[in-house]
Amino acid sequence: MYRNTTGFRYETLTDDPAVKKAVDDILLDVAGEENPRRTCNYGLTEAGKQALRDAADPSKPHTYSWFVMTDCNTSKEQIHRALTLDGAIQLYQDSDRPEKRLGVTKDEIATVDLVRFLDGEQVFFEDHKKLESFRDDPVIADAVETLHQELDGPEAGLEMGGL
């Protein structure tokens, strides 16, 4: 339910984020404004919440799509998706961009960054240990170990940090 300063009151009778955003878009457009919120800021549908629960279920089969992102939040940002782990590691190592990240999307719903290079420092993130979708996943644990082996050694020539 929403009531703005004009006193106009409305209620959107769905939890579907796309519908809720569309309603806000229409009403804000009538007022001559643009909606600053993206669909992802409206929350998940029940189907989305179930998909997250399924991604955390070790008894279900899962899919993994590795990615490398460079120059995050700049006009030069690039995202290379649908990579294998080996392909992502190679692309990450070959990139000379000043900022780059390597991460994974699981079951097309849950995403986590695993390592970032910025300002000459490489940082391995620990979020995968905290997020339910990744915490108890042996594929992710093995991948993190592989990343440390491939990116951590003296041949990497990088400083290590932690978050």
PDB file of all heavy atoms in Angstrom, residues 123-146:
ATOM      1  N   VAL A 123      41.502  -9.947  -4.011  1.00  0.00           N
ATOM      2  CA  VAL A 123      40.769 -10.269  -2.791  1.00  0.00           C
ATOM      3  C   VAL A 123      39.840 -11.456  -3.074  1.00  0.00           C
ATOM      4  O   VAL A 123      39.077 -11.432  -4.033  1.00  0.00           O
ATOM      5  CB  VAL A 123      39.922  -9.062  -2.314  1.00  0.00           C
ATOM      6  CG1 VAL A 123      39.100  -9.431  -1.092  1.00  0.00           C
ATOM      7  CG2 VAL A 123      40.809  -7.865  -2.034  1.00  0.00           C
ATOM      8  N   PHE A 124      39.924 -12.470  -2.235  1.00  0.00           N
ATOM      9  CA  PHE A 124      38.994 -13.594  -2.304  1.00  0.00           C
ATOM     10  C   PHE A 124      37.868 -13.324  -1.326  1.00  0.00           C
ATOM     11  O   PHE A 124      38.103 -13.120  -0.142  1.00  0.00           O
ATOM     12  CB  PHE A 124      39.702 -14.913  -1.945  1.00  0.00           C
ATOM     13  CG  PHE A 124      40.596 -15.415  -3.034  1.00  0.00           C
ATOM     14  CD1 PHE A 124      41.904 -14.974  -3.136  1.00  0.00           C
ATOM     15  CD2 PHE A 124      40.121 -16.312  -3.980  1.00  0.00           C
ATOM     16  CE1 PHE A 124      42.731 -15.420  -4.151  1.00  0.00           C
ATOM     17  CE2 PHE A 124      40.942 -16.767  -5.002  1.00  0.00           C
ATOM     18  CZ  PHE A 124      42.251 -16.316  -5.086  1.00  0.00           C
ATOM     19  N   PHE A 125      36.653 -13.314  -1.829  1.00  0.00           N
ATOM     20  CA  PHE A 125      35.484 -13.068  -0.986  1.00  0.00           C
ATOM     21  C   PHE A 125      35.082 -14.341  -0.247  1.00  0.00           C
ATOM     22  O   PHE A 125      35.347 -15.445  -0.709  1.00  0.00           O
ATOM     23  CB  PHE A 125      34.303 -12.583  -1.829  1.00  0.00           C
ATOM     24  CG  PHE A 125      34.548 -11.264  -2.504  1.00  0.00           C
ATOM     25  CD1 PHE A 125      34.684 -11.195  -3.884  1.00  0.00           C
ATOM     26  CD2 PHE A 125      34.632 -10.093  -1.778  1.00  0.00           C
ATOM     27  CE1 PHE A 125      34.901  -9.982  -4.520  1.00  0.00           C
ATOM     28  CE2 PHE A 125      34.843  -8.877  -2.398  1.00  0.00           C
ATOM     29  CZ  PHE A 125      34.980  -8.824  -3.776  1.00  0.00           C
ATOM     30  N   GLU A 126      34.419 -14.178   0.872  1.00  0.00           N
ATOM     31  CA  GLU A 126      33.956 -15.309   1.682  1.00  0.00           C
ATOM     32  C   GLU A 126      32.427 -15.429   1.688  1.00  0.00           C
ATOM     33  O   GLU A 126      31.876 -16.229   2.437  1.00  0.00           O
ATOM     34  CB  GLU A 126      34.460 -15.138   3.124  1.00  0.00           C
ATOM     35  CG  GLU A 126      35.978 -15.135   3.247  1.00  0.00           C
ATOM     36  CD  GLU A 126      36.593 -16.495   2.971  1.00  0.00           C
ATOM     37  OE1 GLU A 126      35.984 -17.523   3.326  1.00  0.00           O
ATOM     38  OE2 GLU A 126      37.691 -16.520   2.375  1.00  0.00           O
ATOM     39  N   ASP A 127      31.745 -14.640   0.866  1.00  0.00           N
ATOM     40  CA  ASP A 127      30.278 -14.644   0.868  1.00  0.00           C
ATOM     41  C   ASP A 127      29.684 -16.025   0.582  1.00  0.00           C
ATOM     42  O   ASP A 127      28.608 -16.354   1.091  1.00  0.00           O
ATOM     43  CB  ASP A 127      29.736 -13.645  -0.151  1.00  0.00           C
ATOM     44  CG  ASP A 127      30.056 -12.208   0.206  1.00  0.00           C
ATOM     45  OD1 ASP A 127      30.382 -11.951   1.378  1.00  0.00           O
ATOM     46  OD2 ASP A 127      29.988 -11.350  -0.686  1.00  0.00           O
ATOM     47  N   HIS A 128      30.371 -16.824  -0.223  1.00  0.00           N
ATOM     48  CA  HIS A 128      29.849 -18.158  -0.550  1.00  0.00           C
ATOM     49  C   HIS A 128      29.696 -19.021   0.705  1.00  0.00           C
ATOM     50  O   HIS A 128      28.897 -19.950   0.721  1.00  0.00           O
ATOM     51  CB  HIS A 128      30.750 -18.862  -1.573  1.00  0.00           C
ATOM     52  CG  HIS A 128      32.113 -19.152  -1.063  1.00  0.00           C
ATOM     53  ND1 HIS A 128      33.106 -18.193  -0.987  1.00  0.00           N
ATOM     54  CD2 HIS A 128      32.655 -20.290  -0.574  1.00  0.00           C
ATOM     55  CE1 HIS A 128      34.185 -18.733  -0.477  1.00  0.00           C
ATOM     56  NE2 HIS A 128      33.954 -20.007  -0.220  1.00  0.00           N
ATOM     57  N   LYS A 129      30.423 -18.715   1.755  1.00  0.00           N
ATOM     58  CA  LYS A 129      30.311 -19.472   3.007  1.00  0.00           C
ATOM     59  C   LYS A 129      29.112 -19.027   3.835  1.00  0.00           C
ATOM     60  O   LYS A 129      28.690 -19.738   4.739  1.00  0.00           O
ATOM     61  CB  LYS A 129      31.577 -19.299   3.849  1.00  0.00           C
ATOM     62  CG  LYS A 129      32.805 -19.920   3.224  1.00  0.00           C
ATOM     63  CD  LYS A 129      34.020 -19.701   4.099  1.00  0.00           C
ATOM     64  CE  LYS A 129      35.263 -20.331   3.506  1.00  0.00           C
ATOM     65  NZ  LYS A 129      36.452 -20.085   4.342  1.00  0.00           N
ATOM     66  N   LYS A 130      28.568 -17.863   3.531  1.00  0.00           N
ATOM     67  CA  LYS A 130      27.467 -17.302   4.303  1.00  0.00           C
ATOM     68  C   LYS A 130      26.115 -17.457   3.617  1.00  0.00           C
ATOM     69  O   LYS A 130      25.095 -17.529   4.281  1.00  0.00           O
ATOM     70  CB  LYS A 130      27.724 -15.811   4.553  1.00  0.00           C
ATOM     71  CG  LYS A 130      29.012 -15.541   5.309  1.00  0.00           C
ATOM     72  CD  LYS A 130      29.308 -14.061   5.345  1.00  0.00           C
ATOM     73  CE  LYS A 130      30.707 -13.825   5.866  1.00  0.00           C
ATOM     74  NZ  LYS A 130      31.239 -12.537   5.473  1.00  0.00           N
ATOM     75  N   LEU A 131      26.111 -17.460   2.291  1.00  0.00           N
ATOM     76  CA  LEU A 131      24.866 -17.514   1.533  1.00  0.00           C
ATOM     77  C   LEU A 131      24.343 -18.942   1.450  1.00  0.00           C
ATOM     78  O   LEU A 131      25.068 -19.855   1.055  1.00  0.00           O
ATOM     79  CB  LEU A 131      25.079 -16.945   0.134  1.00  0.00           C
ATOM     80  CG  LEU A 131      25.485 -15.477   0.074  1.00  0.00           C
ATOM     81  CD1 LEU A 131      25.890 -15.093  -1.340  1.00  0.00           C
ATOM     82  CD2 LEU A 131      24.349 -14.598   0.569  1.00  0.00           C
ATOM     83  N   GLU A 132      23.099 -19.116   1.802  1.00  0.00           N
ATOM     84  CA  GLU A 132      22.507 -20.449   1.875  1.00  0.00           C
ATOM     85  C   GLU A 132      22.630 -21.227   0.566  1.00  0.00           C
ATOM     86  O   GLU A 132      22.886 -22.429   0.573  1.00  0.00           O
ATOM     87  CB  GLU A 132      21.034 -20.330   2.280  1.00  0.00           C
ATOM     88  CG  GLU A 132      20.427 -21.638   2.683  1.00  0.00           C
ATOM     89  CD  GLU A 132      19.030 -21.474   3.256  1.00  0.00           C
ATOM     90  OE1 GLU A 132      18.650 -20.355   3.625  1.00  0.00           O
ATOM     91  OE2 GLU A 132      18.329 -22.493   3.325  1.00  0.00           O
ATOM     92  N   SER A 133      22.496 -20.559  -0.556  1.00  0.00           N
ATOM     93  CA  SER A 133      22.556 -21.243  -1.854  1.00  0.00           C
ATOM     94  C   SER A 133      23.923 -21.828  -2.165  1.00  0.00           C
ATOM     95  O   SER A 133      24.050 -22.711  -3.010  1.00  0.00           O
ATOM     96  CB  SER A 133      22.170 -20.272  -2.978  1.00  0.00           C
ATOM     97  OG  SER A 133      20.847 -19.832  -2.829  1.00  0.00           O
ATOM     98  N   PHE A 134      24.977 -21.334  -1.504  1.00  0.00           N
ATOM     99  CA  PHE A 134      26.344 -21.756  -1.817  1.00  0.00           C
ATOM    100  C   PHE A 134      27.066 -22.434  -0.657  1.00  0.00           C
ATOM    101  O   PHE A 134      28.036 -23.143  -0.874  1.00  0.00           O
ATOM    102  CB  PHE A 134      27.162 -20.527  -2.259  1.00  0.00           C
ATOM    103  CG  PHE A 134      26.607 -19.861  -3.478  1.00  0.00           C
ATOM    104  CD1 PHE A 134      25.790 -18.746  -3.373  1.00  0.00           C
ATOM    105  CD2 PHE A 134      26.885 -20.359  -4.739  1.00  0.00           C
ATOM    106  CE1 PHE A 134      25.265 -18.137  -4.501  1.00  0.00           C
ATOM    107  CE2 PHE A 134      26.364 -19.760  -5.877  1.00  0.00           C
ATOM    108  CZ  PHE A 134      25.553 -18.646  -5.755  1.00  0.00           C
ATOM    109  N   ARG A 135      26.623 -22.206   0.541  1.00  0.00           N
ATOM    110  CA  ARG A 135      27.346 -22.595   1.758  1.00  0.00           C
ATOM    111  C   ARG A 135      27.731 -24.067   1.802  1.00  0.00           C
ATOM    112  O   ARG A 135      28.861 -24.411   2.110  1.00  0.00           O
ATOM    113  CB  ARG A 135      26.510 -22.211   2.980  1.00  0.00           C
ATOM    114  CG  ARG A 135      27.158 -22.490   4.291  1.00  0.00           C
ATOM    115  CD  ARG A 135      26.340 -22.009   5.480  1.00  0.00           C
ATOM    116  NE  ARG A 135      24.946 -22.368   5.389  1.00  0.00           N
ATOM    117  CZ  ARG A 135      23.949 -21.487   5.541  1.00  0.00           C
ATOM    118  NH1 ARG A 135      24.184 -20.238   5.785  1.00  0.00           N
ATOM    119  NH2 ARG A 135      22.706 -21.890   5.449  1.00  0.00           N
ATOM    120  N   ASP A 136      26.825 -24.952   1.529  1.00  0.00           N
ATOM    121  CA  ASP A 136      27.081 -26.392   1.654  1.00  0.00           C
ATOM    122  C   ASP A 136      27.238 -27.075   0.301  1.00  0.00           C
ATOM    123  O   ASP A 136      26.993 -28.276   0.171  1.00  0.00           O
ATOM    124  CB  ASP A 136      25.938 -27.047   2.449  1.00  0.00           C
ATOM    125  CG  ASP A 136      25.854 -26.496   3.858  1.00  0.00           C
ATOM    126  OD1 ASP A 136      26.912 -26.299   4.478  1.00  0.00           O
ATOM    127  OD2 ASP A 136      24.723 -26.248   4.334  1.00  0.00           O
ATOM    128  N   ASP A 137      27.649 -26.325  -0.698  1.00  0.00           N
ATOM    129  CA  ASP A 137      27.742 -26.851  -2.052  1.00  0.00           C
ATOM    130  C   ASP A 137      29.174 -27.323  -2.336  1.00  0.00           C
ATOM    131  O   ASP A 137      30.095 -26.519  -2.385  1.00  0.00           O
ATOM    132  CB  ASP A 137      27.338 -25.757  -3.041  1.00  0.00           C
ATOM    133  CG  ASP A 137      27.201 -26.272  -4.451  1.00  0.00           C
ATOM    134  OD1 ASP A 137      28.076 -27.048  -4.896  1.00  0.00           O
ATOM    135  OD2 ASP A 137      26.229 -25.892  -5.122  1.00  0.00           O
ATOM    136  N   PRO A 138      29.368 -28.639  -2.544  1.00  0.00           N
ATOM    137  CA  PRO A 138      30.716 -29.149  -2.796  1.00  0.00           C
ATOM    138  C   PRO A 138      31.317 -28.640  -4.111  1.00  0.00           C
ATOM    139  O   PRO A 138      32.537 -28.490  -4.214  1.00  0.00           O
ATOM    140  CB  PRO A 138      30.540 -30.666  -2.818  1.00  0.00           C
ATOM    141  CG  PRO A 138      29.092 -30.903  -3.046  1.00  0.00           C
ATOM    142  CD  PRO A 138      28.363 -29.707  -2.514  1.00  0.00           C
ATOM    143  N   VAL A 139      30.503 -28.359  -5.112  1.00  0.00           N
ATOM    144  CA  VAL A 139      31.013 -27.830  -6.384  1.00  0.00           C
ATOM    145  C   VAL A 139      31.643 -26.456  -6.151  1.00  0.00           C
ATOM    146  O   VAL A 139      32.727 -26.159  -6.653  1.00  0.00           O
ATOM    147  CB  VAL A 139      29.893 -27.747  -7.448  1.00  0.00           C
ATOM    148  CG1 VAL A 139      30.356 -27.004  -8.691  1.00  0.00           C
ATOM    149  CG2 VAL A 139      29.402 -29.151  -7.808  1.00  0.00           C
ATOM    150  N   ILE A 140      30.992 -25.640  -5.353  1.00  0.00           N
ATOM    151  CA  ILE A 140      31.512 -24.298  -5.055  1.00  0.00           C
ATOM    152  C   ILE A 140      32.769 -24.407  -4.198  1.00  0.00           C
ATOM    153  O   ILE A 140      33.768 -23.714  -4.443  1.00  0.00           O
ATOM    154  CB  ILE A 140      30.438 -23.424  -4.366  1.00  0.00           C
ATOM    155  CG1 ILE A 140      29.222 -23.248  -5.289  1.00  0.00           C
ATOM    156  CG2 ILE A 140      31.006 -22.083  -3.942  1.00  0.00           C
ATOM    157  CD1 ILE A 140      29.523 -22.603  -6.627  1.00  0.00           C
ATOM    158  N   ALA A 141      32.761 -25.283  -3.212  1.00  0.00           N
ATOM    159  CA  ALA A 141      33.947 -25.460  -2.359  1.00  0.00           C
ATOM    160  C   ALA A 141      35.145 -25.897  -3.206  1.00  0.00           C
ATOM    161  O   ALA A 141      36.253 -25.360  -3.044  1.00  0.00           O
ATOM    162  CB  ALA A 141      33.660 -26.476  -1.260  1.00  0.00           C
ATOM    163  N   ASP A 142      34.935 -26.840  -4.113  1.00  0.00           N
ATOM    164  CA  ASP A 142      36.022 -27.288  -4.997  1.00  0.00           C
ATOM    165  C   ASP A 142      36.484 -26.156  -5.915  1.00  0.00           C
ATOM    166  O   ASP A 142      37.680 -25.998  -6.161  1.00  0.00           O
ATOM    167  CB  ASP A 142      35.580 -28.482  -5.843  1.00  0.00           C
ATOM    168  CG  ASP A 142      35.432 -29.761  -5.031  1.00  0.00           C
ATOM    169  OD1 ASP A 142      35.909 -29.802  -3.873  1.00  0.00           O
ATOM    170  OD2 ASP A 142      34.831 -30.726  -5.567  1.00  0.00           O
ATOM    171  N   ALA A 143      35.531 -25.373  -6.417  1.00  0.00           N
ATOM    172  CA  ALA A 143      35.883 -24.266  -7.304  1.00  0.00           C
ATOM    173  C   ALA A 143      36.716 -23.214  -6.575  1.00  0.00           C
ATOM    174  O   ALA A 143      37.692 -22.696  -7.132  1.00  0.00           O
ATOM    175  CB  ALA A 143      34.613 -23.629  -7.868  1.00  0.00           C
ATOM    176  N   VAL A 144      36.357 -22.906  -5.344  1.00  0.00           N
ATOM    177  CA  VAL A 144      37.114 -21.923  -4.561  1.00  0.00           C
ATOM    178  C   VAL A 144      38.534 -22.427  -4.332  1.00  0.00           C
ATOM    179  O   VAL A 144      39.502 -21.675  -4.459  1.00  0.00           O
ATOM    180  CB  VAL A 144      36.393 -21.597  -3.236  1.00  0.00           C
ATOM    181  CG1 VAL A 144      37.287 -20.801  -2.300  1.00  0.00           C
ATOM    182  CG2 VAL A 144      35.095 -20.839  -3.512  1.00  0.00           C
ATOM    183  N   GLU A 145      38.669 -23.719  -4.047  1.00  0.00           N
ATOM    184  CA  GLU A 145      40.006 -24.300  -3.870  1.00  0.00           C
ATOM    185  C   GLU A 145      40.809 -24.187  -5.172  1.00  0.00           C
ATOM    186  O   GLU A 145      41.984 -23.817  -5.155  1.00  0.00           O
ATOM    187  CB  GLU A 145      39.887 -25.761  -3.438  1.00  0.00           C
ATOM    188  CG  GLU A 145      41.223 -26.398  -3.138  1.00  0.00           C
ATOM    189  CD  GLU A 145      41.083 -27.830  -2.627  1.00  0.00           C
ATOM    190  OE1 GLU A 145      40.129 -28.101  -1.871  1.00  0.00           O
ATOM    191  OE2 GLU A 145      41.933 -28.651  -2.994  1.00  0.00           O
ATOM    192  N   THR A 146      40.174 -24.480  -6.290  1.00  0.00           N
ATOM    193  CA  THR A 146      40.829 -24.350  -7.591  1.00  0.00           C
ATOM    194  C   THR A 146      41.245 -22.904  -7.855  1.00  0.00           C
ATOM    195  O   THR A 146      42.356 -22.652  -8.338  1.00  0.00           O
ATOM    196  CB  THR A 146      39.899 -24.852  -8.718  1.00  0.00           C
ATOM    197  OG1 THR A 146      39.616 -26.235  -8.498  1.00  0.00           O
ATOM    198  CG2 THR A 146      40.525 -24.662 -10.091  1.00  0.00           C
TER     199      THR A 146
END
